[in-house]
Amino acid sequence: MKRKLLTLLASVPMFTACSANSGNFSTDSEDVRLRKKFRGIYGLVLRIDATSPKHGVIISNDTGRVIDTPSILAPKGGGSLAYTDNSMPVPKAIRATWRVGKFEQKAGGGGWVGGTIIGDYTVPVAERIPDSILDYIRENGGTLRLKVRLMDDGVLIGWDVERRIHKGSWCIKSSGETCFQIEYFIPGGDLLETKY
């Protein structure tokens, strides 16, 4: 009896921690549905570029969290970032703004101030990702890659699966090399290319 009581008392902090952490999640029915949709998906690779030079770019998620703030974004000049969020691995929406004129970095970072905003677009993301691509990742591994391309008149969203593939038994690992390569599968959305 004493052992059972000690076990019960020892588990109380664990239950308290779980309930404290679960309080960070929204109970909104749409948020609950999307968390269920993305269960088992932990973060993503975010690829951002533009069809023509864009200056003073701020890309943020639906909650206003800043994702990236390149001073200039151009064709083939974008980069890849890792993106994770404690509440959901994929943003419900992405907002992208860019500007012209004289602008400077906001005090403390987190974006740009000044100039004139000439592009301001918000596009849905999470609801567009098909369940089939998420099921593929759960079954075969890999990482969801989200592609964001700024256009003069909007924002394109695409996705695919990024996987590390072994080059084969013929591969001999040497100094500074690996026997793995990155490959992309199942492109979808507005951007169907897998290579940049």
Side-chain angles (χ1 to χ4, degrees):
M1 180 69 169
K2 188 175 182 180
R3 180 180 282 170
K4 287 181 183 178
L5 180 60
L6 289 174
T7 303
L8 179 62
L9 289 174
S11 64
V12 169
M14 181 177 68
F15 291 126
T16 305
C18 289
S19 64
N21 288 338
S22 65
N24 295 336
F25 296 118
S26 168
T27 57
D28 174 70
S29 61
E30 178 66 7
D31 290 349
V32 170
R33 184 186 71 77
L34 288 173
R35 277 198 308 273
K36 183 177 179 182
K37 174 179 177 163
F38 289 98
R39 73 194 178 285
I41 306 297
Y42 304 102
L44 56 90
V45 172
L46 186 61
R47 170 77 182 157
I48 302 170
D49 68 9
T51 57
S52 63
K54 305 286 184 276
H55 300 272
V57 176
I58 301 175
I59 298 176
S60 57
N61 69 10
D62 51 284
T63 64
R65 176 182 165 204
V66 173
I67 296 171
D68 198 15
T69 60
S71 62
I72 185 169
L73 197 58
K76 311 278 184 192
S80 294
L81 309 164
Y83 174 85
T84 58
D85 189 303
N86 289 336
S87 61
M88 203 174 78
V90 177
K92 289 199 299 193
I94 284 180
R95 179 182 182 205
T97 62
W98 55 92
R99 56 191 73 225
V100 294
K102 187 174 178 170
F103 60 90
E104 60 188 15
Q105 190 163 25
K106 190 186 290 186
W112 307 99
V113 293
T116 302
I117 293 177
I118 59 168
D120 188 347
Y121 297 94
T122 301
V123 293
V125 177
E127 68 185 32
R128 293 192 59 200
I129 309 293
D131 291 340
S132 59
I133 198 167
L134 303 176
D135 291 339
Y136 177 89
I137 293 169
R138 288 184 198 103
E139 292 171 19
N140 302 291
T143 303
L144 179 64
R145 183 172 72 146
L146 183 65
K147 300 177 280 185
V148 178
R149 179 165 294 157
L150 307 187
M151 310 268 295
D152 292 339
D153 60 352
V155 176
L156 300 178
I157 300 292
W159 53 82
D160 56 31
V161 177
E162 180 178 294
R163 291 185 62 200
R164 274 181 77 216
I165 304 296
H166 196 277
K167 291 180 181 176
S169 59
W170 55 266
C171 180
I172 300 171
K173 185 176 177 181
S174 60
S175 177
E177 288 193 30
T178 177
C179 285
F180 290 91
Q181 63 190 24
I182 301 292
E183 293 187 11
Y184 303 97
F185 302 89
I186 320 174
D190 307 321
L191 305 169
L192 295 179
E193 77 272 9
T194 57
K195 304 252 183 212
Y196 282 92

